[in-house]
Amino acid sequence: MTKQERATRTRDALIRSAAREFDQHGYAPARLSVISSGAGVSPGALHFHFENKAAVAAAVEAEAAAALRRTARNVHREGSNALQSLADTTHALAGLLREDVVVRAGFRLSCSDVRRTDLNLRQEWQSCVQQRLAEAADEGVLAAGIGRRRDLARTIVAATIGLEALCRDNGEWLSPGTVTGLWRTLLPMLTGAATLAGLEPAGSRAAVDRAHAPVG
């Protein structure tokens, strides 16, 4: 293993250890000594990669944002209509929040009152929702008279982010069944019967499975 490979591996281990600490305790109580020991490295090694706790937290948020963007791209390239893509992306995001501690910690850090940064994962998710709704309108599958897309986006974001917050105490809130129930409720309000008949509230299996694939 080269020196650069060892440095990359150490940095990745520190980010994951920090994510566990932030996910469990939040930003303020998290301790750098616990983060370094959790990664199996010395405090000196941590400070070689990160100047302070804020820098570690920023790295966790950046990794979480990259995972969110990658997931949205992978699901969207499946080629289904925009409403199905939005449901699929929500299922994929829920899967990330259930299974990936870096993504969970990134969302928790992003809404922390203790620190504010330019990166806002909830805002990024809202932008993704707004884009899919705009595409649905362009495709003619968004029901006429449904109201302004911004209001729709806020409703969907509030519902999905609410599940993310509730999941901290009970993981069942982000289970596939819960997310399916959300879309079973929302989709009839978003589109007409003809389009609705071809949509899958449980998500397109191929699209959700591909969500974690690398993007070239």
Side-chain angles (χ1 to χ4, degrees):
M1 186 184 301
T2 67
K3 183 176 181 180
Q4 183 176 0
E5 288 172 336
R6 286 196 299 272
T8 298
R9 180 171 292 186
T10 298
R11 186 179 188 279
D12 290 344
L14 285 166
I15 289 174
R16 187 153 290 275
S17 177
R20 290 193 295 268
E21 182 74 358
F22 293 138
D23 183 47
Q24 292 175 13
H25 304 294
Y27 178 78
R31 297 179 352 190
L32 291 178
S33 59
V34 175
I35 292 171
S36 60
S37 63
V41 301
S42 68
L46 184 151
H47 286 288
F48 174 80
H49 290 277
F50 302 105
E51 181 180 0
N52 49 36
K53 185 164 67 172
V56 182
V60 171
E61 285 186 273
E63 289 290 329
L68 174 60
R69 294 165 190 155
R70 182 172 59 248
T71 296
R73 287 195 302 268
N74 277 330
V75 171
H76 188 51
R77 66 178 178 170
E78 279 296 308
S80 58
N81 74 51
L83 290 180
Q84 186 65 63
S85 178
L86 180 54
D88 291 345
T89 305
T90 307
H91 277 282
L93 173 61
L96 283 175
L97 289 166
R98 289 194 307 268
E99 301 162 11
D100 191 331
V101 68
V102 175
V103 175
R104 282 199 309 276
F107 266 86
R108 180 167 185 174
L109 288 167
S110 188
C111 66
S112 172
D113 293 329
V114 178
R115 54 185 296 277
R116 294 292 183 185
T117 67
D118 292 335
L119 183 60
N120 187 321
L121 294 182
R122 292 182 175 183
Q123 183 60 51
E124 291 213 13
W125 173 236
Q126 182 170 343
S127 296
C128 178
V129 172
Q130 289 172 333
Q131 182 177 346
R132 295 295 175 267
L133 290 176
E135 292 165 358
D138 290 342
E139 293 169 2
V141 297
L142 199 61
I146 196 67
R148 294 186 305 166
R149 289 198 298 269
R150 180 175 296 180
D151 292 337
L152 285 173
R154 287 173 175 169
T155 299
I156 294 170
V157 169
T160 51
I161 293 302
L163 296 181
E164 177 261 328
L166 289 167
C167 183
R168 295 177 196 168
D169 295 323
N170 183 350
E172 184 63 24
W173 283 104
L174 278 176
S175 69
T178 300
V179 179
T180 297
L182 172 66
W183 282 107
R184 193 177 290 125
T185 301
L186 289 175
L187 285 173
M189 296 186 289
L190 298 176
T191 193
T195 300
L196 183 63
L199 297 176
E200 301 178 55
S204 303
R205 190 68 263 158
V208 176
D209 287 344
R210 186 174 288 189
H212 304 288
V215 176

